[in-house]
Amino acid sequence: MSLRPLIAICGTTGVGKSKLAIELALALSQRYSGARIINADAMQVYAGMDIITNKVPHEEQCGVDHLLMGFKSPGEQYVVGQWVKDAMRLINETHQRNQIPIVVGGTSYWIQHLVFPGRLGVFDETTSEVPATPSTNSKMSENLIRAISALPQELHTLYDNLPEQPPLASEDPDAASTLHRLLTQLDPIVAQRWHWKDTRKVMRSLKIIKESGKLSSEIILEQSETEPPPRYRTLFLWLYARPEKLDPRLDARVDVMLEQGLLREVDELIREAAAAKQVDEARFATSSDYYNSAPIDYTLGMYQSIGYREFSSYLIEYQNLSPSLEDKPFATAVERMKLSTRQYARKQVKWIRNKLLPAVYAANLNSNQGENQPREIVSAYLLDATELGEQWSSEVEQPALEITRRFLQGSTLPVPITLSSTAKEMLTIAQKPINPEAILEARRRIVCHTCTTDESKPVMIEQGKEWEAHARTKRHRTAVARAKKQLTGPPGDK
Ligand SMILES: [Zn+2]
């Protein structure tokens, strides 16, 4: 059966993704039975807070369905696995209506996991979700059986009774380091990847081992042998604007958001968090079931958004909802939000180049092997949205419509790097190491024995740049000098 089509519009904030999606959807309604837009922005899934989340106002949606938008409450956690499930259901429904699904959003890793199944990585740092077991047999691996039977009693008991929530290293360092010790005994390769204080990641790895019955290293080897094909025949449209033009646009957008009432939304979020906290406390004061009913986590959901982070502490301290830029702390918060927004945009581009494009290219390599038809299952185009105004139509809208038309007809598509010099530059990537050994070797943490004072709570530093930086710190050099002295003794002392 041939794969059904999907259009995915990705790119940073402020490049016009929503605008292009609506333009495409309207154009498709003339030729096909229309299109539906499925939101892939992790913040726009939340209800209300339209300014912070930058949702398309209803009147600008032009009657096009916008799905998975504004349906979660601000403190609710909504993770990639749930989104993928919801998106798949809606895409299926859209296809059944003979319409075209258009997935739009800046959360590229959601889109990536939607199009490329089974790649919710063992080392994925963006989620605390446990990936579904990729294996076909559910038997426990020999290596794991051996490792478990070699566990000391204390760790064995811990493995059998893993806590629901990971302990916080700041509150219970002993529990945190014991958890890491358990992972080291079971799966030293993945344990080297996480700092013992990073209990969320340590816990996730332990859960993966427990639920899959395999070591992380075994899962990686297995995944590399059985790369699943993409779920949809996908056309990626990457809207890109050069940083020197995008940055001022992003800055200006922050100013507009403030004018529109960003502070009121932040204030509302603070109040909701405070009210919910009181309810939680009252509930748990009378409940013996504290650990089974996890309170809403106000470090998650909307509370992670850019804007909330920068202005919540300002508002809590000064309680001024209409400050001017003369107000120093306020001006500082504004600058911080502008900086965060620019940094976030950089991160989004990095993700597309370092993760999404390699997956796109790999999928086509795999699908073309030994087949007669070299047609690509997944294509990625960059559309240059650096210039707005008149150029939008010629650089973005028209090429997007033309590529989409050909894509849906199944006719020959243009070569992506021929579209523009920017496309050529940004779509060309250095091949990343994708062999399993390289994945396992990368980004290990090493223990600095010189700086470690308590072996159960070691000082762990990532190899490479971080380690080099550590070796230059005063703390480390002092410790090295002290260790040398102890070794050789004071001068003259023979
Ligand atoms: Zn050191």
Side-chain angles (χ1 to χ4, degrees):
M1 203 186 86
S2 66
L3 291 173
R4 288 176 300 173
L6 176 74
I7 296 166
I9 301 178
C10 56
T12 59
T13 40
V15 285
K17 295 186 296 292
S18 311
K19 177 175 152 69
L20 178 64
I22 292 165
E23 286 168 355
L24 278 184
L26 292 175
L28 289 175
S29 66
Q30 291 160 14
R31 286 181 155 268
Y32 298 83
S33 326
R36 297 208 291 174
I37 291 174
I38 297 164
N39 167 51
D41 180 296
M43 289 300 134
Q44 292 188 4
V45 301
Y46 294 104
M49 309 297 154
D50 294 342
I51 299 166
I52 290 192
T53 59
N54 202 31
K55 292 195 199 90
V56 184
H58 198 261
E59 61 276 13
E60 288 173 27
Q61 295 182 1
C62 301
V64 179
D65 282 349
H66 279 66
L67 309 166
L68 298 184
M69 197 179 260
F71 70 110
K72 291 274 160 194
S73 62
E76 216 175 327
Q77 200 186 1
Y78 185 59
V79 289
V80 56
Q82 284 170 295
W83 179 81
V84 168
K85 241 185 244 164
D86 291 343
M88 282 173 66
R89 177 174 49 79
L90 290 165
I91 289 168
N92 191 30
E93 193 185 285
T94 305
H95 284 139
Q96 279 170 357
R97 295 161 59 155
N98 278 321
Q99 291 179 310
I100 308 296
I102 305 178
V103 173
V104 187
T107 311
S108 298
Y109 80 92
W110 281 12
I111 302 179
Q112 181 155 357
H113 290 307
L114 169 70
V115 175
F116 305 104
R119 282 167 222 238
L120 200 53
V122 171
F123 290 150
D124 195 329
E125 303 191 23
T126 48
T127 174
S128 50
E129 267 178 281
V130 175
T133 314
S135 165
T136 40
N137 59 11
S138 51
K139 246 177 52 198
M140 238 204 258
S141 84
E142 293 294 322
N143 290 331
L144 181 57
I145 294 172
R146 216 173 304 130
I148 291 173
S149 62
L151 286 176
Q153 191 54 51
E154 176 205 10
L155 294 182
H156 202 146
T157 313
L158 178 60
Y159 180 74
D160 288 338
N161 307 286
L162 286 179
E164 205 36 55
Q165 297 294 325
L168 283 178
S170 53
E171 284 171 11
D172 194 347
D174 288 327
S177 77
T178 308
L179 207 63
H180 191 267
R181 205 144 45 83
L182 171 62
L183 185 61
T184 305
Q185 293 263 331
L186 292 177
D187 198 346
I189 293 174
V190 69
Q192 278 182 328
R193 176 73 64 115
W194 311 136
H195 197 285
W196 62 271
K197 287 183 183 170
D198 210 339
T199 49
R200 261 195 214 202
K201 289 172 191 162
V202 173
M203 184 63 119
R204 178 173 183 266
S205 292
L206 285 168
K207 283 188 177 162
I208 290 174
I209 293 171
K210 211 166 166 175
E211 282 177 27
S212 67
K214 289 186 175 55
L215 303 181
S216 304
S217 43
E218 293 172 325
I219 296 176
I220 285 180
L221 287 170
E222 211 170 89
Q223 279 181 342
S224 69
E225 282 162 13
T226 56
E227 197 100 312
R231 281 204 181 94
Y232 308 100
R233 193 165 71 81
T234 309
L235 173 64
F236 281 102
L237 298 173
W238 173 17
L239 283 195
Y240 176 80
R242 293 197 168 275
E244 66 271 20
K245 286 288 173 77
L246 182 64
D247 285 352
R249 249 149 75 187
L250 293 177
D251 284 356
R253 219 188 54 178
V254 171
D255 296 330
V256 170
M257 288 165 86
L258 283 162
E259 276 164 34
Q260 288 174 336
L262 176 79
L263 289 186
R264 276 200 314 276
E265 288 190 352
V266 174
D267 189 55
E268 204 178 310
L269 282 169
I270 294 170
R271 281 166 207 281
E272 273 182 38
K277 202 167 167 238
Q278 275 182 348
V279 172
D280 279 346
E281 276 163 8
R283 182 151 55 105
F284 293 129
T286 55
S287 164
S288 57
D289 207 17
Y290 183 93
Y291 291 102
N292 289 329
S293 46
I296 293 173
D297 188 340
Y298 284 97
T299 61
L300 296 171
M302 275 295 303
Y303 292 88
Q304 285 178 311
S305 63
I306 295 176
Y308 181 78
R309 286 183 313 202
E310 288 74 14
F311 288 108
S312 54
S313 47
Y314 170 79
L315 280 181
I316 289 167
E317 190 166 353
Y318 299 96
Q319 292 165 13
N320 181 1
L321 276 172
S322 45
S324 77
L325 283 171
E326 310 280 291
D327 180 349
K328 264 276 163 62
F330 173 68
T332 309
V334 173
E335 278 317 304
R336 272 214 309 272
M337 177 167 174
K338 288 180 177 174
L339 182 65
S340 304
T341 308
R342 292 195 295 260
Q343 286 171 337
Y344 179 56
R346 303 268 191 284
K347 261 174 86 175
Q348 288 175 304
V349 169
K350 258 195 178 162
W351 179 280
I352 293 174
R353 276 174 57 88
N354 295 342
K355 309 270 175 149
L356 189 61
L357 291 180
V360 168
Y361 299 154
N364 287 327
L365 275 183
N366 291 343
S367 70
N368 287 342
Q369 271 167 9
E371 278 184 38
N372 301 331
Q373 45 168 38
R375 201 176 66 174
E376 309 213 312
I377 291 184
V378 185
S379 307
Y381 287 86
L382 178 143
L383 299 166
D384 194 341
T386 303
E387 303 293 339
L388 293 176
E390 301 231 322
Q391 304 243 34
W392 171 268
S393 172
S394 63
E395 297 296 319
V396 180
E397 188 184 1
Q398 292 311 320
L401 284 173
E402 176 60 19
I403 296 166
T404 303
R405 192 180 58 80
R406 289 179 179 219
F407 169 78
L408 292 175
Q409 283 175 349
S411 43
T412 321
L413 291 169
V415 178
I417 57 168
T418 60
L419 249 58
S420 67
S421 58
T422 313
K424 185 169 184 187
E425 180 193 334
M426 299 303 288
L427 291 173
T428 309
I429 51 166
Q431 276 307 315
K432 287 251 153 190
I434 42 170
N435 66 312
E437 283 78 15
I439 295 170
L440 291 172
E441 281 297 312
R443 304 195 57 191
R444 275 191 304 193
R445 277 169 203 276
I446 37 189
V447 172
C448 180
H449 290 286
T450 317
C451 293
T452 298
T453 48
D454 177 352
E455 285 297 333
S456 74
K457 299 178 188 65
V459 175
M460 296 172 78
I461 294 121
E462 194 176 308
Q463 64 184 8
K465 276 196 194 125
E466 270 189 35
W467 173 259
E468 284 161 27
H470 172 77
R472 283 194 301 267
T473 58
K474 198 164 176 218
R475 175 187 170 197
H476 177 81
R477 284 183 295 144
T478 314
V480 169
R482 201 184 306 121
K484 263 194 196 146
K485 228 182 198 165
Q486 278 172 0
L487 220 60
T488 53
D493 182 27
K494 293 254 160 117

